[in-house]
Amino acid sequence: MSNQESKKALVLVADGSEEMETVISVDVLRRAQIDVTVVGITLQNENYAKCSRGVKIVPDQSLSNISNFDIYDVIVIPGGLNGAKTISSNSEVQKLLASMHRAGKFVAAICAGPLAIKSANINKGGKITSHPIVKADLENEYSYQEDRVLVDNKVITSRGPGTAFLFALTIVELLLGEEKRNEVSNPMIISSIL
Amino acid sequence: MSNQESKKALVLVADGSEEMETVISVDVLRRAQIDVTVVGITLQNENYAKCSRGVKIVPDQSLSNISNFDIYDVIVIPGGLNGAKTISSNSEVQKLLASMHRAGKFVAAICAGPLAIKSANINKGGKITSHPIVKADLENEYSYQEDRVLVDNKVITSRGPGTAFLFALTIVELLLGEEKRNEVSNPMIISSIL
């Protein structure tokens, strides 16, 4: 597949983002040859995001350095409560999420990440899931479910680190099909039941 | 638990290490209040390890900055073939692994990481598992098994990203017991079958 034809993803990361959810998303999508850009949001140290359990991840770009958002097929919001709060309260992120959703792109969020779906006013009334810790923030404005991964109106949501492989593989399947999903999944020695 | 009583872990990372296996190990152990130090091995850019799928992780220390290795209860070697080759061929790492094994500490390796068990001459003839890509490198000198996680003579081995949660939770259980393992596992929304 040439670079022109590659699917493209943004993965946001802030201080306090859940590092496993961030890295599993980036890694699994890149195993599927999706062109992933890791974007730092409001970092205290401009060189890295200090994640929820102290892992320091160097982003590829800042939001202000990306000139054209139309090329991206999916945007991914990891959890980690503090990171998700930073991301969901950022007005540039809110505009970007709403714009991508209107354009028919996938918006994907895991754990506490779905807080950003709500703050961007996306798919209100639709089906959503999240980590139990933010259920109360979502259940009044969405049809709250407890599926490990849920897809509704191109909004993909999921529950926590233990569902992050399933979440990332679902994104791969939606963008590139079941064959690519299996091609990526098998060498990772994923359990038959995730 | 006071800091003096905390269990302590080293997690090694090199250019080419598998970022999911690295980060799942660090994060899950820290969720169990294990004091984890991420140690960069022979990094091309001294500021970060460029992992197998391009995620850049900032280590906490270099090996030369650690003065006393006796305080660590476990050392963890992630996979990623290039990272595992760098780590397993490093003579300082070989000495450290052999010394920790002799002292009765846990030595844990996942995916291609078990190459470092072999190069450190640890537990030869014992049971081992790994990612299938390095099976041929191990099966002549070990009793090769295909368990998702295997513990033999304080050597913990496992198979790939999809077994990394089980690998890390096994380390937690061996160091701190089943109750702590469950305390860490449940909020991560881990599937009942890993």
Side-chain angles (χ1 to χ4, degrees):
Chain A
M1 189 184 282
S2 78
N3 194 50
Q4 282 71 24
E5 290 166 343
S6 289
K7 297 292 183 183
K8 290 183 171 52
L10 294 170
V11 177
L12 306 189
V13 64
D15 295 321
S17 289
E18 218 302 322
E19 43 271 74
M20 298 188 285
E21 295 163 357
T22 305
V23 169
I24 291 169
S25 298
V26 174
D27 185 317
V28 171
L29 269 57
R30 284 183 177 157
R31 283 171 180 254
Q33 289 87 51
I34 295 169
D35 180 357
V36 178
T37 303
V38 181
V39 180
I41 305 292
T42 334
L43 305 180
Q44 195 164 7
N45 182 317
E46 66 178 14
N47 295 317
Y48 57 78
K50 187 172 180 185
C51 291
S52 65
R53 273 74 190 180
V55 174
K56 301 182 191 97
I57 295 176
V58 181
D60 300 319
Q61 290 288 352
S62 64
L63 204 56
S64 57
N65 281 342
I66 300 178
S67 53
N68 181 10
F69 289 100
D70 297 342
I71 61 172
Y72 295 100
D73 301 285
V74 60
I75 183 166
V76 181
I77 320 282
L81 190 56
N82 289 335
K85 284 181 176 171
T86 296
I87 290 170
S88 64
S89 63
N90 182 301
S91 62
E92 293 304 309
V93 172
Q94 291 168 2
K95 281 183 229 166
L96 174 58
L97 290 176
S99 157
M100 287 185 71
H101 183 64
R102 273 195 307 273
K105 309 301 183 70
F106 287 101
V107 176
I110 184 167
C111 192
L115 291 176
I117 308 282
K118 179 185 171 186
S119 68
N121 272 306
I122 289 175
N123 205 32
K124 289 278 171 83
K127 291 180 191 166
I128 206 165
T129 194
S130 71
H131 195 278
I133 53 164
V134 295
K135 178 181 177 182
D137 298 293
L138 298 168
E139 62 186 350
N140 291 336
E141 302 190 48
Y142 292 90
S143 167
Y144 194 89
Q145 316 279 323
E146 297 192 345
D147 302 51
R148 293 173 69 73
V149 177
L150 194 59
V151 187
D152 184 58
N153 196 16
K154 292 205 156 182
V155 176
I156 307 161
T157 51
S158 186
R159 309 208 73 201
T163 67
F165 281 107
L166 188 59
F167 172 70
L169 288 168
T170 300
I171 297 171
V172 168
E173 183 170 346
L174 288 167
L175 290 178
L176 296 166
E178 191 183 350
E179 193 181 340
K180 179 60 78 174
R181 175 196 173 127
N182 293 336
E183 180 192 315
V184 168
S185 177
N186 293 339
M188 296 197 296
I189 327 282
I190 296 283
S191 174
S192 55
I193 299 178
L194 268 173
Chain B
M1 189 185 282
S2 79
N3 195 49
Q4 281 71 21
E5 290 166 344
S6 289
K7 297 291 182 182
K8 290 184 170 50
L10 294 170
V11 177
L12 306 190
V13 65
D15 296 321
S17 289
E18 218 302 320
E19 42 271 73
M20 298 189 283
E21 294 164 357
T22 306
V23 169
I24 290 169
S25 299
V26 174
D27 185 318
V28 170
L29 268 57
R30 284 183 176 157
R31 283 172 181 253
Q33 289 87 51
I34 295 168
D35 180 358
V36 179
T37 303
V38 181
V39 180
I41 304 293
T42 334
L43 305 179
Q44 195 164 5
N45 182 317
E46 65 178 16
N47 296 315
Y48 57 78
K50 187 172 180 185
C51 291
S52 65
R53 273 73 189 181
V55 174
K56 302 182 191 99
I57 295 176
V58 181
D60 300 318
Q61 290 287 352
S62 63
L63 205 55
S64 57
N65 282 342
I66 299 178
S67 53
N68 180 10
F69 290 100
D70 296 342
I71 61 171
Y72 296 99
D73 301 287
V74 59
I75 183 166
V76 180
I77 319 284
L81 191 55
N82 289 335
K85 283 181 176 171
T86 297
I87 290 169
S88 64
S89 63
N90 181 301
S91 62
E92 292 304 310
V93 172
Q94 291 168 3
K95 280 182 230 166
L96 174 58
L97 290 175
S99 157
M100 287 186 71
H101 182 65
R102 272 195 309 273
K105 310 300 184 71
F106 288 101
V107 176
I110 184 167
C111 192
L115 290 176
I117 308 281
K118 179 185 170 187
S119 67
N121 273 304
I122 289 175
N123 205 32
K124 289 279 171 82
K127 292 180 190 166
I128 205 164
T129 193
S130 71
H131 195 278
I133 52 165
V134 295
K135 177 182 178 182
D137 298 292
L138 298 168
E139 62 186 350
N140 291 336
E141 302 189 49
Y142 292 91
S143 168
Y144 194 89
Q145 315 280 324
E146 298 192 344
D147 302 51
R148 294 174 68 73
V149 176
L150 194 60
V151 187
D152 184 57
N153 196 16
K154 292 205 155 180
V155 175
I156 307 161
T157 51
S158 187
R159 309 207 74 202
T163 67
F165 281 107
L166 188 60
F167 172 69
L169 287 168
T170 300
I171 297 171
V172 168
E173 183 170 346
L174 288 167
L175 289 179
L176 296 166
E178 191 182 351
E179 193 181 342
K180 177 62 78 175
R181 177 197 172 125
N182 293 336
E183 179 193 316
V184 168
S185 178
N186 294 338
M188 296 198 296
I189 327 282
I190 296 283
S191 174
S192 55
I193 299 178
L194 267 172

